[in-house]
Amino acid sequence: MEFSDLIRTRRAQAKLLRGPEAPPLRGTLCLTGHHLLLSPGPQATSELWLLLLRSVDSIEKRVASDSGTITLRCKDLRVLQLEIEGVEASLDIARSIEALSSLESVITSFPFFYRPKGLRLGDAWHFHPPERYYKRVARETNAWRLSEVNEDFSVCPSYPRAVIVPRSVDDGALARSARFRQGGRFPVLSYHHAPSGTVLVRSSQPLTGPQKRRCAEDEELLRAVLAGARPGARGFIVDTRSSQAAKQARMTGGGTEAKAAYPGWKRLHRPLERGQPLQESFVRLVEACGDLQQSTDSWLRRLEGCCWLAHVKEALSTACLAAQGMEREGACILVHGAEGTDSTLLVTSLAQLILDPLSRTMAGFQELVEREWIQAGHPFQLRCAHSAFSHARPKHEAPTFLLFLDCVWQLGRQFPLSLEFGEGLLLALFEHAYASPFGTFLCNSERERCLCEVRTRTHSLWSGLNQPKEQRKLRNPLYAPNPLAIWPSVELQSLRLWQGLFLRWIRPPEPSEVAWEKVWQIVTDKEKTKLSQPTVSASEPQL
């Protein structure tokens, strides 16, 4: 089907209301296959207004005698209102937006048509391959190797082509271990902690089932993990399910690692919410933030009742547990839940931010997101199909990546000098994960991206974000490299609502945001002053 078949009315006269802080715009509203545009006209001072249709989460429409009103609730939590002349034109535009914003085909999405000036196809896709991180690990230890057992994605469809595994385990054993793990996600290296010589490993649950099946190759793999660490190392298995949920999983073919089969490993249950309960928490939080008529007491009750900050607390607590096990206990850590594509990645990525100074740099954080979320198989297309406003509630949707970004924001608030990037990067990642002109967050796995030729036919988000003009909005002007681990306070009184995201469109800028911009101006002026000062050569006389 052509885009033109879904566009009932291409243009109409309209007024756009963008919220309490922005003036209304009047002009000609135009609808294309991927965008909604409003042109204020040649005499207006305002620029062209543009909205990517994929960012629309839900639509509400009302009609009067000679006009209609369309309310667009967007995935980035904006609420926009269009007042359109003509009832028929209003209804046609609303139906067209509904159809165009919900197209399921990946290859007809806007990233396959987006061709920005100054960027070339293929740029930045090579920035963060698995081989790059392996080179870093190889400089620190020779106990691990880069395996291409999954080169054709037949061993594990959600893993990348290359993974880092113990050197002593051959590819045949890896393939047999994969058959013993849900979705084929056998244990692979996530992070090597050089100071302690320990490692962070991730996988999915073992398929022990009611018969308590075992797999010699899987047991060999985890023995090799301990053997490759410091002498006498032990291991902790951090299971992100409750013990009861793990027992129930065994009845349906899943399960846990038996203590007798995995000597040296001890299992710890740290349940993290995922799936629909996490999505409902997100929805209730956004609803509470959007109610401007409620009292302070009501607002605080609703904030506590949605449990979002409780989820932030649990995620940070579990990450701290994994990080402490490595740095303070000298233990290796294996993290998994059921599938190993959600809460598992949440814990491993946060633990690395806590321990690894390189992950807290701009380039290191981008690599962390690429390696631990995108390449590791977090199903972005399923999880981020809708945001908080959609009336549909599919079971596969969940804001796990948003929870990760919120936890990172909490770290940045508690350690304002330790992250090279600021809130701007986190907001950008949130927006692009749900709707983007770039191809980085398309599909659910590297296998799907290869089938859709995403890397050769779309632009990488990193190439866009790393443009010099974007860096001012993304970098932290107060950054000072910190070689130590950063241990956050996870008590609820230490955690804050991320106002820069959840209240972004419904309140004026906070004094802290204005102060932040002034800090940037001071730093920029200072750098300009340094550059403008003449240098004195060593041969010139000193006064």
Side-chain angles (χ1 to χ4, degrees):
M1 180 179 289
E2 299 290 335
F3 291 128
S4 57
D5 297 334
L6 302 176
I7 301 175
R8 297 165 178 258
T9 295
R10 291 190 174 275
R11 59 174 52 87
Q13 295 303 304
K15 179 172 75 172
L16 170 67
L17 304 177
R18 296 175 289 173
E21 299 301 317
L25 282 179
R26 295 178 183 272
T28 302
L29 185 72
C30 301
L31 189 62
T32 72
H34 294 110
H35 289 94
L36 194 63
L37 304 90
L38 192 140
S39 174
Q43 306 302 321
T45 57
S46 303
E47 295 181 354
L48 180 74
W49 176 83
L50 188 72
L51 178 71
L52 185 63
L53 290 175
R54 179 66 71 174
S55 67
V56 175
D57 207 27
S58 71
I59 303 174
E60 298 173 9
K61 46 187 179 288
R62 300 192 310 273
V63 295
S65 57
D66 58 352
S67 64
T69 300
I70 300 175
T71 301
L72 302 176
R73 301 184 185 276
C74 301
K75 294 175 182 177
D76 64 1
L77 308 185
R78 278 182 295 175
V79 179
L80 307 169
Q81 189 169 302
L82 288 165
E83 296 180 357
I84 301 173
E85 295 180 6
V87 173
E88 185 175 349
S90 300
L91 294 175
D92 283 347
I93 288 175
R95 295 188 188 107
S96 299
I97 294 174
E98 285 177 334
L100 292 167
S101 64
S102 58
L103 292 175
E104 295 184 358
S105 172
V106 172
I107 60 174
T108 61
S109 60
F110 184 58
F112 286 86
F113 300 84
Y114 183 50
R115 298 294 180 264
K117 292 182 179 178
L119 298 182
R120 294 181 304 173
L121 285 174
D123 283 355
W125 281 114
H126 62 281
F127 278 8
H128 311 294
E131 294 82 0
R132 177 171 176 169
Y133 183 66
Y134 172 68
K135 289 180 181 178
R136 175 183 166 187
V137 173
R139 289 194 296 267
E140 300 168 346
T141 176
N142 65 352
W144 296 80
R145 68 182 179 91
L146 193 69
S147 170
E148 294 185 350
V149 66
N150 196 46
E151 185 175 12
D152 60 356
F153 304 107
S154 61
V155 173
C156 176
S158 62
Y159 270 173
R161 295 181 187 274
V163 291
I164 306 174
V165 297
R167 184 174 296 278
S168 61
V169 180
D170 62 38
D171 284 353
L174 296 176
R176 288 187 287 275
S177 172
R179 291 195 287 270
F180 184 66
R181 295 278 173 172
Q182 181 167 340
R185 295 178 68 89
F186 58 93
V188 297
L189 181 75
S190 179
Y191 170 61
H192 177 256
H193 188 236
S196 67
T198 59
V199 292
L200 182 64
V201 182
R202 49 177 162 78
S203 71
S204 60
Q205 67 175 340
L207 302 178
T208 54
Q211 287 78 33
K212 299 183 179 179
R213 290 188 296 268
R214 294 176 59 171
C215 174
E217 290 79 9
D218 194 75
E219 296 166 17
E220 174 194 351
L221 205 165
L222 288 189
R223 281 197 304 271
V225 169
L226 295 182
R230 63 181 183 81
R234 54 180 178 154
F236 291 105
I237 299 172
V238 179
D239 194 326
T240 60
R241 304 166 295 177
S242 67
S243 57
Q244 183 63 32
K247 289 178 182 177
Q248 291 174 349
R250 183 183 301 161
M251 302 309 296
T252 56
T256 58
E257 294 82 358
K259 186 176 180 180
Y262 298 88
W265 291 90
K266 179 181 179 181
R267 189 171 68 252
L268 304 173
H269 290 278
R270 290 295 183 273
L272 296 179
E273 203 66 82
R274 60 191 185 92
Q276 269 193 311
L278 191 60
Q279 179 72 13
E280 290 298 329
S281 176
F282 176 38
V283 169
R284 292 198 302 271
L285 174 58
V286 172
E287 288 175 349
C289 291
D291 186 352
L292 304 181
Q293 308 302 320
Q294 61 191 325
S295 66
T296 301
D297 288 343
S298 174
W299 153 246
L300 293 175
R301 283 195 302 272
R302 293 178 71 179
L303 179 60
E304 181 180 10
C306 74
C307 298
W308 181 260
L309 288 179
H311 298 318
V312 172
K313 169 186 166 66
E314 293 304 320
L316 284 172
S317 297
T318 306
C320 284
L321 174 71
Q324 287 172 353
M326 299 176 71
E327 177 159 286
R328 298 179 178 178
E329 301 287 334
C332 296
I333 306 293
L334 167 63
V335 183
H336 72 67
E339 296 91 349
T341 57
D342 292 280
S343 56
T344 298
L345 308 182
L346 176 64
V347 173
T348 58
S349 51
L350 287 175
Q352 290 178 66
L353 270 175
I354 291 169
L355 291 174
D356 183 20
L358 286 177
S359 294
R360 303 194 289 265
T361 65
M362 177 68 79
F365 185 70
Q366 292 180 13
E367 180 184 322
L368 181 71
V369 171
E370 180 76 30
R371 176 167 46 84
E372 287 298 295
W373 288 91
I374 298 168
Q375 295 175 7
H378 180 65
F380 280 98
Q381 189 169 343
L382 289 174
R383 299 293 184 264
C384 301
H386 294 287
S387 184
F389 295 123
S390 174
H391 302 299
R393 292 286 185 270
K395 291 184 178 180
H396 54 68
E397 292 178 1
T400 312
F401 186 64
L402 171 57
L403 181 60
F404 164 70
L405 296 177
D406 198 328
C407 291
V408 177
W409 180 83
Q410 304 288 343
L411 287 172
R413 195 189 66 81
Q414 293 190 26
F415 299 92
L417 308 183
S418 294
L419 306 184
E420 188 179 17
F421 51 90
E423 182 182 62
L425 178 60
L426 303 180
L427 292 173
L429 291 176
F430 164 68
E431 292 175 0
H432 286 281
Y434 281 89
S436 176
F438 297 96
T440 299
F441 289 108
L442 287 179
C443 304
N444 298 303
S445 65
E446 287 294 284
R447 176 178 177 272
E448 291 184 12
R449 291 182 197 102
C450 286
L451 290 173
C452 295
E453 301 178 310
V454 168
R455 291 182 179 271
T456 57
R457 297 178 57 190
T458 72
H459 288 281
S460 166
L461 172 63
W462 312 125
S463 64
L465 295 183
N466 289 327
Q467 295 297 301
K469 63 181 180 180
E470 296 292 324
Q471 288 295 291
R472 178 187 171 93
K473 296 182 290 185
L474 307 179
R475 289 187 179 274
N476 175 6
L478 301 179
Y479 172 65
N482 178 2
L484 304 176
I486 54 175
W487 300 104
S489 171
V490 297
E491 296 303 320
L492 280 175
Q493 58 265 32
S494 300
L495 304 177
R496 296 289 183 271
L497 175 70
W498 186 4
Q499 295 187 37
L501 188 145
F502 294 109
L503 301 179
R504 183 181 180 189
W505 308 108
I506 56 181
R507 53 102 172 111
E510 291 288 308
S512 59
E513 296 174 11
V514 177
W516 191 257
E517 182 58 33
K518 289 183 178 179
V519 169
W520 251 122
Q521 190 62 51
I522 292 171
V523 171
T524 303
D525 292 345
K526 187 176 180 181
E527 290 176 350
K528 288 180 179 178
T529 302
K530 283 184 178 180
L531 291 173
S532 64
Q533 289 177 346
T535 57
V536 180
S537 68
S539 61
E540 292 178 355
Q542 304 290 316
L543 296 179

